[in-house]
Amino acid sequence: MTPADLLAGAAANRPQVPTFAEFVPRVAAAVTPGTLKAYGTYWNRVVDEWGSRRLNEPGPLEIGSLGKQIRANRVIRRNGRGGSGAEENYVAAMRCLYKRAVDNGFISEADNPASRVAKPRRQASNRHALADKRLTEITEIAATTGNDPALDSLLLRFHTETACRRGGALNLRRCDLDERQCLVRLREKGGTERWQPVSPTLMRHLLAHWGERGDGDPTGKLFWFRHRRPVTHRRYDHLWTRIGEHLPWVATQGISVHWLRHTVITWVERTFSYATARAFAGHSESSGDVGSTATYAKADLSELAAVVAALTGEAHPLAPHDEDQ
């Protein structure tokens, strides 16, 4: 018996490779909502192009060529950066799809064509911390325009205090509020969970908002419209479009809620420390490029509470007081 005989036997026992039209819906039903939102559009495009073909038919060159087509035919946006993001996301979507095919035994890892398609080089982010004056302008427009300025002001206050991602706010529930210790539980991308301090003022407004608009279910969404409908990501889209109509520089630079996260985390790093900023941002505890010492340089909740106290000018129940020093 030779190695070739073993390989031939393994191939013979492998189930029939499905078509893209057969396999994509199965994968789409199995992944998380976040993954489907990120990759679903690209999977649909693949089904349109290759629906009747089997997964083992396109090679790396053909898969890469479709990525170039997607990049060339992308929707041109004001803050676009040449389409590299669209191509990168497409390659990631194909790798995700083929990983499931490998896991289910339809193809071998050695025959995985998506793993041999290179991603375009990622460009450096053009986001930067906003100046205090610019941040004030944004909050003023949010508070004085639109059909629900109270909601928009609360959302922006929540993001400027917690530096959370958009998903952290959209996933927030009444049961995620620890009102006694002024903590909120943030559930963000990758299934991560963490407790983040907020000021007593923000906690009062969060509780009041849910009391006035919530449906009474503590496990349901916390942020609601006045007409008893939970807030979705589309509220953010409308909010920043409206702010951009009043502040042209917001539209020109493509400012979004993630810029608030960038602004707050930058301030925390400059004012406190890198370790505190990393914990405040909820970044994974990995040594990365800063050395193994970073594994031991961790900030605890009391330090994060001190950040919120300094940021808002309010005492926080978990922040150390003078008599504790």
Side-chain angles (χ1 to χ4, degrees), residues 245-258:
E245 292 171 353
H246 292 270
L247 302 173
W249 60 270
V250 169
T252 299
Q253 296 185 49
I255 306 297
S256 67
V257 73
H258 207 79

Side-chain angles (χ1 to χ4, degrees), residues 132 263-277 303 306-312:
D132 290 347
T263 300
V264 176
I265 295 172
T266 299
W267 178 84
V268 174
E269 191 277 329
R270 301 292 192 273
T271 308
F272 291 86
S273 68
Y274 171 82
T276 305
E303 293 173 279
V307 171
V308 173
L311 181 65
T312 63

Side-chain angles (χ1 to χ4, degrees), residues 165 171 185-194 282-284:
R165 302 171 178 87
N171 293 330
R185 177 165 47 197
L186 298 177
R187 293 173 290 121
E188 298 183 301
K189 67 178 185 179
T192 61
E193 290 189 10
R194 58 192 172 97
H283 288 152
S284 59

Side-chain angles (χ1 to χ4, degrees), residues 71-280:
R71 179 172 184 166
N73 297 325
R74 73 194 184 280
V75 176
I76 305 297
R77 294 184 172 86
R78 179 177 296 184
N79 62 345
R81 308 187 71 189
S84 61
E87 185 179 357
E88 179 183 357
N89 290 338
Y90 159 77
V91 174
M94 294 302 286
R95 290 181 179 179
C96 177
L97 187 71
Y98 274 95
K99 182 181 184 301
R100 269 66 180 182
V102 172
D103 292 343
N104 284 273
F106 293 121
I107 61 175
S108 67
E109 183 58 51
D111 295 328
N112 180 353
S115 65
R116 300 194 294 277
V117 178
K119 285 186 178 182
R121 185 173 182 177
R122 179 173 294 185
Q123 301 181 45
S125 173
N126 60 2
R127 296 190 187 102
H128 57 79
L130 298 172
D132 290 347
K133 179 181 178 181
R134 296 302 191 191
L135 189 58
T136 299
E137 291 174 350
I138 288 173
T139 55
E140 286 179 351
I141 294 299
T144 56
T145 64
N147 61 2
D148 200 342
L151 171 63
D152 295 335
S153 295
L154 183 59
L155 284 172
L156 292 187
R157 175 68 182 261
F158 186 77
H159 283 283
T160 53
E161 277 201 27
T162 65
C164 73
R165 302 171 178 87
R166 187 171 63 176
L170 294 177
N171 293 330
L172 192 67
R173 307 165 299 180
R174 169 62 182 87
C175 60
D176 293 324
L177 305 185
D178 181 343
E179 54 190 293
R180 183 176 181 181
Q181 298 188 93
C182 287
L183 296 173
V184 297
R185 177 165 47 197
L186 298 177
R187 293 173 290 121
E188 298 183 301
K189 67 178 185 179
T192 61
E193 290 189 10
R194 58 192 172 97
W195 287 99
Q196 190 84 346
V198 297
S199 68
T201 295
L202 177 56
M203 179 59 71
R204 286 196 300 271
H205 280 84
L206 291 173
L207 292 169
H209 173 87
W210 188 82
E212 294 170 1
R213 304 188 183 191
D215 63 352
D217 179 6
T219 64
K221 303 292 186 181
L222 186 132
F223 291 109
W224 289 72
F225 292 107
R226 279 194 298 260
H227 49 275
R228 301 291 179 175
R229 186 166 55 87
V231 172
T232 68
H233 70 278
R234 293 188 62 82
R235 185 63 187 184
Y236 288 90
D237 298 335
H238 293 313
L239 171 61
W240 290 103
T241 297
R242 185 175 81 246
I243 294 174
E245 292 171 353
H246 292 270
L247 302 173
W249 60 270
V250 169
T252 299
Q253 296 185 49
I255 306 297
S256 67
V257 73
H258 207 79
W259 287 63
L260 303 185
R261 173 175 167 82
H262 195 115
T263 300
V264 176
I265 295 172
T266 299
W267 178 84
V268 174
E269 191 277 329
R270 301 292 192 273
T271 308
F272 291 86
S273 68
Y274 171 82
T276 305
R278 186 179 63 179
F280 203 85

